[in-house]
């Protein structure tokens, strides 16, 4: 799976979806969860993620800098998927994306409604059953609130 930063030259353009198979299109939000004015939005946008996070950008020199934009948000989504694979190695990328979108927090843009902002806690909870060894089927659970996930009876 690849994450692709999605950007726009003008606010009126919108992403229609990932251009390649197994690619996730990513938009970015600021520290308040508000979609940045330069972030891409559109019906085909897979997930939103925070950006402008402090990261070790030059680890050999011990320097930490802010890494922002969609290029900073894409690794956040990559980390979400990697954590999902650690929790359940048998999960497919499509399963993880479905669960990431289902457990994401809804963010409305003035152009597109209900874009999904990653929620690591809800995502990891959805992946685990009460025994923490099997994944909940992504087609049979619903998110009751941002912190409560209800699995459908099996």
């Amino acid at each position: 799976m690849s994450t692709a930063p999605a950007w726009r030259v003008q606010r009126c353009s919108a992403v229609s979806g990932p251009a390649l198979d197994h690619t996730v299109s990513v938009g970015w939000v600021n520290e308040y969860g508000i979609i940045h004015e330069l972030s891409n939005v559109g019906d085909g946008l897979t997930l939103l993620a925070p950006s402008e996070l402090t990261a070790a950008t030059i680890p050999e020199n011990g320097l930490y800098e802010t890494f922002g934009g969609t290029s900073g948000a894409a690794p956040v989504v990559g980390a979400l998927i990697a954590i999902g694979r650690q929790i359940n190695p048998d999960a497919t990328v499509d399963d993880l994306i479905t669960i990431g979108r289902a457990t994401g927090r809804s963010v409305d843009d003035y152009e597109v409604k209900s874009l999904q902002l990653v929620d690591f806690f809800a995502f990891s909870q959805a992946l685990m059953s009460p025994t923490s060894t099997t994944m909940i089927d992504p087609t049979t659970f619903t998110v009751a609130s941002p912190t409560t996930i209800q699995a459908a009876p099996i």
Side-chain angles (χ1 to χ4, degrees):
M1 182 212 65
S2 299
T3 56
W7 60 89
R8 71 170 105 181
V9 175
Q10 296 178 354
R11 183 81 176 154
C12 62
S13 65
V15 66
S16 60
L20 303 170
D21 290 340
H22 308 295
T23 302
V24 175
S25 60
V26 178
W28 65 297
V29 298
N30 65 19
E31 65 270 22
Y32 304 108
I34 298 169
I35 299 169
H36 193 277
E37 65 183 18
L38 297 177
S39 178
N40 200 27
V41 296
D43 292 329
L45 190 69
T46 310
L47 288 166
L48 292 167
S51 189
E52 299 183 357
L53 303 172
T54 301
T57 54
I58 310 172
E60 63 271 7
N61 295 334
L63 297 177
Y64 291 83
E65 296 197 16
T66 300
F67 184 48
T70 52
S71 296
V76 174
V77 174
L80 181 83
I81 302 305
I83 288 170
R85 291 299 291 264
Q86 286 294 314
I87 293 170
N88 190 315
D90 296 328
T92 67
V93 171
D94 288 338
D95 289 341
L96 297 172
I97 294 303
T98 298
I99 293 171
R101 288 183 52 78
T103 58
R105 295 175 186 249
S106 183
V107 177
D108 288 345
D109 182 69
Y110 63 85
E111 294 177 1
V112 181
K113 304 301 180 204
S114 297
L115 296 168
Q116 299 303 308
L117 173 61
V118 297
D119 182 332
F120 279 82
F121 180 73
F123 175 78
S124 61
Q125 293 299 305
L127 283 171
M128 296 185 289
S129 73
T131 61
S132 299
T133 59
T134 59
M135 187 178 74
I136 294 172
D137 182 351
T139 62
T140 62
F141 75 88
T142 59
V143 178
S145 72
T147 58
T148 305
I149 296 171
Q150 296 176 333
I154 296 176

